[in-house]
Amino acid sequence: MWHGRPAHGRMRKMRMPRSKEEINRMSAAVEQVHAPMSKQVTFTVWFCLLGLTCVEVFLAYEQLELRVMLVLLMTLSIVKASLIIAYFMHLRYERQSLAWTLMPALIFVVGMLFAIFPDSVRVLLMKPK
Amino acid sequence: MSSQAHELTAIAGESVWSGGASPYAVPSKKLGMWLFIVSDAITFSAILIAYSYVRVATQVWPRPFESASIINATVMTFVLLTSSVTMVLAVRAAKLGIRKRAAGWLFATLMGGVLFDILHLREWFWLFHQGVTLWSNPWGTPLFGATFLGLTGLHMTHVTMGVFYLAVVAIGTARGKFSSDDVEVSGLYWHFVDLVWMFIFPLVYLLSARIG
C-alpha cells in the first residue's frame, strides 16, 4: 500500500505509531494469540512418547540384526521427534509459514549429510578377500 | 495487493512495503530461538551421522551397556520426557498469567534436568571406572570413547546450560521481569534438548546393548 509522499518531499522510510491504540494493535501482531494447548493433548502426547520409548527398549532386548534395528529405531525416533516438535514445541499451532521456512531447509541439510554415508560399508564389503 | 498481504497489513497495523508485516506472526525472539534450534539440530545431526558412519564402518564395535545401563538410560529418557511435560505446564501457566505457578513448573523442569545430569554422570563414572578414556577402552576400537563421550558430552552441556537458563527464567518470571513469551522461548530450547536425546538414546545405548 503506497501512502504517497509526505509534505516535505522525502520518501518516508518508517512511520511512528500515532496513537496508543495503534501501538497496541502493532504489538498484538507479535503476541501469541492462540489459546494454550489443552492438558489432555499434552498428556496424550506424553503417554505416546513413553510408550514408543518402551517399544524401543523392547526391541533392544530382542537383539535383531543391526540394519533392521537401525531402521526400526530411527523410524520410531523420527515419530517421537515429530510429536515433540508438533505438540510440545507447538509448531502445529503456529502459522504454517514458520514450519515451511524451517523444516525443508533442515531436512535438506540433514539429507545432504548422508551423501557420504554409503562409503561407510565400502571398507567392510569391498576389501579384497 | 493479495488478500494475504492485506491480512498481514491488518495484523501489523503497518504497510507491508514499509516493513510492517509479521510474516510468521511470532515474536522475533521466538523466531530467533527457532533459527538457533535448526542450526543446533544440524550440528547434532552431523555428529550423530559421523558416529553412525564410524559405527557401521567398524567391524567390531564395543557393546558395554548391560541391562543396568539400559535401565538407567531408560529412566533418564523418562525423566527428560516428564520434564518436557512440566515445561509445557509452565508455559501454560505463564500464558494464563499465573506467574508463581509458572515459576514452580519451571523449577520442576530444571530439577528434571539436574536429575538427568546426575544419572548421566553416574553412567560416565561407571565407564571411567571400566577404563574408558577419549583415546582408549578395554573392549576394542578406541573410537568408542571419543564418539560416546563427545556425543553425550555435548548433549549434557546442553542440558546443563538449559538448567541455568531455566533458573534465570524461573526467577525472572517469579519477579515479574519476564513475559510469558520468554517462558515459551526457553521451553522451545528445553524441548529441543529432549528431542536430541530421542536420537542419542537408541543410537548410542540401544544399539550397543549387551543383553542375554
Side-chain angles (χ1 to χ4, degrees), chain B residues 164-181:
Chain B
F164 287 117
Y165 180 17
L166 292 182
V168 170
V169 174
I171 294 166
T173 304
R175 290 183 180 170
K177 284 188 175 178
F178 289 144
S179 72
S180 63
D181 283 343

Side-chain angles (χ1 to χ4, degrees), chain B residues 97-116:
Chain B
I98 316 168
R99 282 196 282 120
K100 293 280 178 212
R101 194 190 289 174
W105 283 123
L106 279 168
F107 184 72
T109 308
L110 77 88
M111 285 316 287
V114 170
L115 182 59
F116 178 89

Side-chain angles (χ1 to χ4, degrees), chain B residues 160-211:
Chain B
T160 312
M161 288 299 126
V163 166
F164 287 117
Y165 180 17
L166 292 182
V168 170
V169 174
I171 294 166
T173 304
R175 290 183 180 170
K177 284 188 175 178
F178 289 144
S179 72
S180 63
D181 283 343
D182 296 307
V183 179
E184 195 182 350
V185 170
S186 67
L188 282 180
Y189 176 82
W190 192 256
H191 297 311
F192 170 69
V193 171
D194 182 17
L195 187 158
V196 170
W197 183 252
M198 294 306 130
F199 288 94
I200 296 180
F201 172 60
L203 276 178
V204 173
Y205 283 93
L206 297 183
L207 282 180
S208 297
R210 187 176 61 199
I211 290 153

Side-chain angles (χ1 to χ4, degrees), chain A:
Chain A
M1 209 184 301
W2 182 249
H3 291 284
R5 279 163 185 260
H8 50 84
R10 288 183 61 197
M11 266 203 339
R12 183 174 42 84
K13 284 204 178 108
M14 236 176 94
R15 184 167 62 92
M16 296 305 287
R18 288 186 195 120
S19 63
K20 198 160 189 180
E21 192 190 308
E22 199 172 343
I23 295 171
N24 284 340
R25 201 171 65 227
M26 286 178 79
S27 66
V30 288
E31 220 169 78
Q32 299 297 282
V33 282
H34 40 64
M37 195 167 59
S38 81
K39 273 188 189 173
Q40 201 194 341
V41 173
T42 306
F43 284 105
T44 310
V45 172
W46 182 53
F47 279 122
C48 287
L49 290 167
L50 292 184
L52 289 171
T53 306
C54 290
V55 172
E56 285 186 337
V57 175
F58 172 76
L59 284 174
Y61 278 79
E62 284 298 297
Q63 299 276 300
L64 301 168
E65 202 246 323
L66 184 66
R67 259 175 296 178
V68 180
M69 274 282 277
L70 199 60
V71 171
L72 285 174
L73 289 178
M74 281 304 97
T75 310
L76 287 171
S77 288
I78 289 167
V79 172
K80 284 162 81 181
S82 309
L83 281 172
I84 292 174
I85 291 171
Y87 292 97
F88 287 175
M89 295 170 88
H90 224 260
L91 196 59
R92 218 198 128 189
Y93 302 97
E94 304 289 356
R95 189 177 280 185
Q96 280 196 354
S97 58
L98 187 63
W100 280 109
T101 304
L102 299 170
M103 291 304 147
L106 177 62
I107 293 166
F108 175 76
V109 173
V110 174
M112 290 299 282
L113 285 172
F114 275 103
I116 54 156
F117 203 83
D119 197 46
S120 64
V121 291
R122 182 177 53 87
V123 182
L124 290 182
L125 301 181
M126 295 171 71
K127 70 179 172 191
K129 293 274 184 311

Side-chain angles (χ1 to χ4, degrees), chain B residues 28-103:
Chain B
S28 50
K29 51 192 156 193
K30 189 163 162 185
L31 180 62
M33 181 52 89
W34 265 113
L35 292 175
F36 166 74
I37 285 172
V38 167
S39 63
D40 215 22
I42 293 168
T43 305
F44 271 109
S45 305
I47 299 175
L48 278 166
I49 291 166
Y51 161 78
S52 306
Y53 181 99
V54 171
R55 178 86 162 74
V56 172
T58 309
Q59 226 155 7
V60 185
W61 189 263
R63 286 174 171 262
F65 301 116
E66 290 171 15
S67 235
S69 293
I70 296 297
I71 290 166
N72 187 56
T74 310
V75 172
M76 281 157 67
T77 310
F78 282 13
V79 167
L80 215 51
L81 281 173
T82 308
S83 78
S84 258
V85 172
T86 57
M87 189 71 230
V88 171
L89 295 173
V91 173
R92 186 187 161 82
K95 292 280 169 197
L96 295 173
I98 316 168
R99 282 196 282 120
K100 293 280 178 212
R101 194 190 289 174

Side-chain angles (χ1 to χ4, degrees), chain B residues 110-181:
Chain B
L110 77 88
M111 285 316 287
V114 170
L115 182 59
F116 178 89
D117 268 355
I118 291 170
L119 290 170
H120 209 164
L121 282 173
R122 198 178 68 161
E123 179 76 38
W124 269 34
F125 281 109
W126 177 78
L127 283 172
F128 291 153
H129 188 70
Q130 306 263 313
V132 174
T133 68
L134 277 174
W135 307 275
S136 67
N137 65 74
W139 309 296
T141 175
L143 280 168
F144 172 80
T147 50
F148 175 82
L149 295 172
L151 246 179
T152 57
L154 187 68
H155 182 261
M156 210 198 295
T157 312
H158 276 75
V159 174
T160 312
M161 288 299 126
V163 166
F164 287 117
Y165 180 17
L166 292 182
V168 170
V169 174
I171 294 166
T173 304
R175 290 183 180 170
K177 284 188 175 178
F178 289 144
S179 72
S180 63
D181 283 343

